[in-house]
């Protein structure tokens, strides 16, 4: 049963949506209802079976150039509930005006943003101005409470997000510049400490706010009528006054059925300003990867990649081989060095029958790993099998069984049942 507080949030949510539904031209979205079972050890001698329910709602109400967009999730325990049950997570709840005066888009409310360390959701406002091949975007708001609760952060002044982006396209080239400032402050708390006489006392722990502040630039080259793609990105830490990241990736055909990909980056650890971790002696990493894809016949291809990572005093490398078909894929992965030693095989297959009515799928993986060269090898086994049943275009059912066997989860079996319903209504 839902708690009284959660029920109040549901009622408030529906009250807010009623006017939007009354004046909307279109109402669309989808609902997912999931039941998931698993087993967890609460001691060395006792295992508990859990049965949990996850319900998701995505709802959009639109009128002319305006839309109210929402996304939420409710999780409850049907058997052996957790301490946090029942819990409502509100991911999106914002009003959007698109192409106002043919060049402005406005958003107000809880909304997503994709911008480096700022990527995620926030409560605030976003303005996007587009003209010709240029776009300017700026946003400001408060960080979302840790459990995505349907309320504003209590300490907005120390937990905020502000940023801006500018991009322009010229023929096959595009460039972008941006700035982001993301500020955190951990809540104060009481802890037991010892005084000068070694007597326990209750001590109030207060932490300074920590901050990410970055400048970024990116550029890309994607000529029309070719499969050539080149992208690069640069990030500069304004607080620590040094380069944080340089990234380059590219893909190009070299002959009829063969294309190559390259990737490389230089990365400093992302450490918040004023964080205790900023006093540690940490090093950067340098990473490179090359690969190729060969298309045998339509729907069938072979891929191979090799990557190398250089840490401050160590190094690591990896290799991936794959075979892709219309019905599934085969893969092999091997890593060496500081990141651990592992080799793993995986198989994935799926096929649709009866014009989409049934889509069974299965995946299996097996591997061996050891964290250091002198350690004993550990086995990893996982198996997932399921089926999607779609009797109607707007309604489907997913049934899936999951099995794992590894040093942490021994002979672990889980079951998932999911109902999906999509709708679109013109009012």
């Amino acid at each position: 049963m839902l708690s009284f507080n959660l029920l109040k949030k549901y009622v408030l949510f529906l009250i807010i949506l009623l006017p939007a539904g009354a004046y909307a031209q279109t109402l669309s979205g989808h609902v997912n209802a999931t039941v998931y079972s698993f087993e967890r050890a609460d001691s060395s001698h006792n295992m508990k079976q859990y049965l949990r329910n996850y319900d998701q709602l995505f709802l959009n109400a639109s009128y002319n150039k305006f839309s109210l967009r929402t996304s939420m999730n409710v999780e409850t325990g049907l058997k052996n509930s957790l301490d946090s049950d029942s819990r409502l997570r509100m991911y999106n709840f914002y009003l959007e005006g698109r192409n106002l005066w043919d060049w402005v888009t406005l958003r107000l409310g809880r909304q997503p943003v994709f911008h480096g360390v700022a990527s995620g959701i926030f409560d605030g406002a976003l303005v996007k101005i587009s003209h010709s091949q240029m776009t300017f975007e700026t946003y400001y708001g408060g960080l979302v409470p840790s459990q995505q609760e349907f309320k504003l952060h209590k300490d907005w002044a120390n937990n905020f997000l502000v940023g801006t982006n500018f991009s322009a396209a010229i023929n096959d080239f595009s460039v972008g510049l941006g700035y982001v400032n993301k500020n955190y402050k951990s809540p104060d708390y009481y802890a037991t400490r010892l005084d000068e006489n070694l007597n326990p006392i209750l001590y109030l722990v207060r932490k300074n706010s920590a901050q990410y502040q970055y400048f970024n630039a990116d550029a890309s080259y994607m000529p029309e009528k070719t499969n050539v793609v080149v992208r690069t990105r640069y990030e500069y830490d304004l607080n620590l006054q040094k380069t944080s990241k340089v990234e380059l990736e590219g893909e190009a055909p070299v002959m009829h059925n063969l294309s190559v990909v390259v990737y490389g980056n230089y990365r400093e650890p992302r450490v918040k300003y004023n964080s205790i971790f900023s006093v540690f002696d940490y090093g950067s990493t340098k990473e490179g990867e090359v690969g190729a894809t060969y298309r045998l016949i339509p729907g069938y291809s072979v891929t191979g990649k090799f990557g190398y990572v250089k840490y401050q005093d160590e190094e690591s490398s990896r290799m991936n081989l794959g075979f892709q078909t219309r019905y599934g894929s085969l893969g092999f992965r091997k890593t060496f060095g500081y990141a651990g030693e592992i080799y793993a095989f995986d198989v994935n297959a799926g096929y649709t029958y009866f014009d989409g009515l049934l889509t069974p799928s299965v995946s299996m993986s097996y591997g061996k790993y050891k964290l250091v060269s002198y350690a004993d090898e550990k086995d990893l086994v996982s198996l997932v099998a399921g089926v999607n049943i779609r009797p109607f275009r707007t309604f489907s059912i997913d049934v899936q069984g999951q099995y794992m066997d590894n040093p942490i989860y021994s002979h672990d079996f889980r079951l998932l049942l999911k109902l999906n319903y999509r709708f679109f209504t013109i009012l």
Side-chain angles (χ1 to χ4, degrees):
M1 297 293 295
L2 295 179
S3 68
F4 180 67
N5 288 333
L6 186 59
L7 182 60
K8 288 194 299 182
K9 292 178 180 178
Y10 266 125
V11 173
L12 177 62
F13 179 77
L14 292 175
I15 291 175
I16 295 173
L17 285 185
L18 281 176
Y23 293 100
Q25 283 182 325
T26 63
L27 196 64
S28 64
H30 62 274
V31 180
N32 301 329
T34 304
V35 177
Y36 187 60
S37 70
F38 63 93
E39 191 175 57
R40 174 180 291 178
D42 58 0
S43 69
S44 58
H45 305 289
N46 187 40
M47 302 290 290
K48 277 189 176 181
Q49 292 281 348
Y50 288 83
L51 186 65
R52 299 191 59 74
N53 169 235
Y54 300 89
D55 297 318
Q56 289 180 295
L57 171 64
F58 302 85
L59 184 63
N60 299 322
S62 298
Y63 181 81
N64 290 336
K65 295 183 178 182
F66 295 92
S67 298
L68 178 65
R69 303 183 182 275
T70 68
S71 171
M72 61 181 290
N73 169 273
V74 178
E75 56 180 279
T76 56
L78 303 179
K79 181 180 179 182
N80 288 325
S81 298
L82 303 178
D83 293 339
S84 59
D85 291 337
S86 299
R87 182 163 59 193
L88 167 69
R89 294 176 183 267
M90 184 65 70
Y91 297 109
N92 289 327
F93 191 97
Y94 64 93
L95 181 66
E96 181 182 54
R98 301 179 308 278
N99 297 323
L100 307 178
W101 306 286
D102 296 327
W103 49 276
V104 177
T105 294
L106 302 176
R107 289 183 183 176
L108 180 65
R110 180 164 296 182
Q111 57 187 289
V113 64
F114 303 95
H115 187 193
V117 296
S119 297
I121 57 177
F122 72 101
D123 292 316
L126 179 145
V127 179
K128 183 178 180 180
I129 303 172
S130 300
H131 178 69
S132 185
Q133 299 296 313
M134 296 182 293
T135 300
F136 174 78
E137 179 181 275
T138 185
Y139 53 88
Y140 169 76
L143 301 185
V144 175
S146 59
Q147 300 297 330
Q148 293 83 36
E149 297 171 281
F150 194 21
K151 61 183 181 182
L152 299 178
H153 202 291
K154 294 180 180 179
D155 189 8
W156 187 301
N158 291 305
N159 294 272
F160 64 85
L161 179 68
V162 60
T164 184
N165 265 314
F166 172 79
S167 62
I170 306 173
N171 296 327
D172 299 329
F173 292 90
S174 64
V175 295
L177 299 173
Y179 165 80
V180 60
N181 185 338
K182 189 173 185 179
N183 203 87
Y184 300 79
K185 188 179 186 304
S186 300
D188 300 339
Y189 63 94
Y190 285 94
T192 302
R193 297 288 187 267
L194 298 179
D195 64 12
E196 62 274 9
N197 298 318
L198 301 183
N199 296 316
I201 60 173
L202 202 58
Y203 181 76
L204 176 61
V205 179
R206 290 178 172 173
K207 293 186 177 181
N208 294 327
S209 62
Q211 182 190 65
Y212 287 128
Q213 191 173 196
Y214 286 87
F215 163 81
N216 67 269
D218 56 76
S220 63
Y221 173 66
M222 293 181 287
E224 294 184 4
K225 300 180 180 180
T226 72
N227 293 321
V228 174
V229 177
V230 179
R231 298 188 184 95
T232 183
R233 183 175 180 83
Y234 174 81
E235 294 184 1
Y236 182 80
D237 191 322
L238 293 169
N239 289 325
L240 301 180
Q241 297 185 358
K242 63 179 181 180
T243 295
S244 174
K245 180 181 178 182
V246 181
E247 188 174 38
L248 173 67
E249 60 180 326
E251 180 177 359
V254 293
M255 59 178 63
H256 178 56
N257 284 334
L258 179 66
S259 62
V260 297
V261 294
V262 296
Y263 175 80
N265 74 53
Y266 166 86
R267 189 194 304 266
E268 290 279 348
R270 278 181 172 165
V271 179
K272 300 174 188 175
Y273 189 67
N274 278 343
S275 166
I276 184 63
F277 296 105
S278 62
V279 304
F280 294 147
D281 181 20
Y282 52 84
S284 61
T285 61
K286 304 176 184 66
E287 180 178 358
E289 184 175 67
V290 294
T293 298
Y294 185 77
R295 286 167 287 279
L296 303 170
I297 56 175
Y300 293 79
S301 62
V302 178
T303 61
K305 292 183 179 180
F306 180 82
Y308 173 82
V309 182
K310 179 68 174 68
Y311 303 94
Q312 186 174 16
D313 300 313
E314 302 286 348
E315 59 185 26
S316 179
S317 55
R318 62 183 182 269
M319 177 181 66
N320 291 274
L321 299 174
F323 176 56
Q324 295 80 35
T325 76
R326 294 176 176 174
Y327 312 106
S329 63
L330 301 172
F332 170 75
R333 178 164 56 97
K334 173 69 176 174
T335 63
F336 321 81
Y338 182 67
E341 298 184 12
I342 184 173
Y343 65 87
F345 300 87
D346 63 82
V347 181
N348 303 277
Y351 193 72
T352 297
Y353 297 92
F354 310 116
D355 296 325
L357 176 62
L358 293 176
T359 305
S361 61
V362 62
S363 65
M364 181 179 64
S365 66
Y366 171 77
K368 285 183 174 290
Y369 79 94
K370 50 185 177 180
L371 298 179
V372 292
S373 59
Y374 51 82
D376 295 332
E377 285 189 332
K378 307 293 184 180
D379 292 325
L380 303 169
V381 178
S382 68
L383 175 66
V384 177
V387 61
N388 174 268
I389 306 169
R390 188 180 293 273
F392 310 104
R393 184 176 60 87
T394 59
F395 177 75
S396 66
I397 303 171
D398 289 289
V399 182
Q400 188 180 89
Q402 306 166 358
Y403 171 81
M404 292 183 294
D405 185 33
N406 55 55
I408 300 176
Y409 294 98
S410 177
H411 303 290
D412 181 278
F413 180 76
R414 308 183 178 206
L415 185 65
L416 179 144
L417 172 65
K418 184 177 181 182
L419 307 180
N420 312 282
Y421 174 68
R422 296 177 177 271
F423 56 91
F424 180 84
T425 302
I426 300 176
L427 303 177

